[in-house]
Every structure is written in C-alpha cells, then in structure tokens.
Amino acid sequence: VQLVESGGGSVQAGGSLRLSCSASGYTFRPHNMAWFRQAPGKEREAVASIYTGGAGTCYADSVKGRFTISQDRAKRTIYLQMDRLKPEDTAMYYCAAAPHWSACAEVKPSGFDSWGQGTQVTVS
C-alpha cells in the first residue's frame, strides 16, 4: 500500500487545516487507516483512526472535539480536519494503514505496516 499525505502547513493558534491521505497499490482494502503524529524528541502517537469498511473511529483524548477523521472510499482517501489548533499540535503527521481493524486502545504504530512520508503541521 502506498500512502501520500498532503495539506500540512503553518497556521496560527485557533486556526484550521485539513490533511488528506490517498492510498493506492492494493488489491484488498486495508481495514484500518489512521493518522499519527510525532513532535521532535517525542514518540510517535496515534491521533485518529477509521474503519474503512464502516464508520468506526477512534480519537486521542487530546484531539477529541477538535479533530475529525473521515473517508471517501471512492477516492481511496482519508482526511483529518483539524480545528481549533493549538501550538502543542505542532508535529509531523503521518498516514498509516493496517489490514485489520483494532480496538481504539490498540491503535499503535506497531500495528500498522504501511506509512506515508509525512506532512508537517506547525501551529504558532
């Protein structure tokens, strides 16, 4: 699975950005797709995930109520709408895919086998 992210950039606190991740190169659709982020000196953390076969979603507590993950199956694309951004949201954001859905508490980098190159989000 090849994943290509876009939509990152710089924004002032309180602003919004929408990230996109287009998937290609697969025969069987990965059932779990997610956004992770990694700030300098910190571990990669899960932000949000979505079950591509339905409507199930998971969110990190730090982004609940501010971020929304969604998908367009026809376009093989997932999105991350980020509103009310905070400086602590500054990080490299990565799209990831896994063949199987996992419970929210189990959404971890080790469970995903395909990764995009990342897109930088900077909030000042």
Side-chain angles (χ1 to χ4, degrees), residues 16 19-20 30 44 55 57 67 70 72 102 116:
S16 298
L19 305 183
S20 300
R44 191 168 296 190
T57 57
F67 291 11
S70 61
D72 184 328
S102 56

Side-chain angles (χ1 to χ4, degrees), residues 31-96:
H31 282 180
N32 198 3
M33 293 189 70
W35 290 97
F36 289 81
R37 67 186 181 187
Q38 187 167 20
K42 295 188 177 181
E43 293 186 355
R44 191 168 296 190
E45 64 174 357
V47 175
S49 65
I50 188 164
Y51 172 52
T52 63
T57 57
C58 301
Y59 292 95
D61 288 343
S62 59
V63 306
K64 281 181 182 176
R66 300 188 299 121
F67 291 11
T68 304
I69 190 169
S70 61
Q71 63 181 321
D72 184 328
R73 291 193 190 92
K75 294 183 178 179
R76 298 187 174 187
T77 299
I78 66 167
Y79 305 94
L80 185 68
Q81 178 65 42
M82 305 185 294
D83 298 317
R84 290 183 283 142
L85 282 160
K86 304 176 180 180
E88 51 263 45
D89 295 317
T90 296
M92 185 72 79
Y93 283 70
Y94 297 91
C95 177

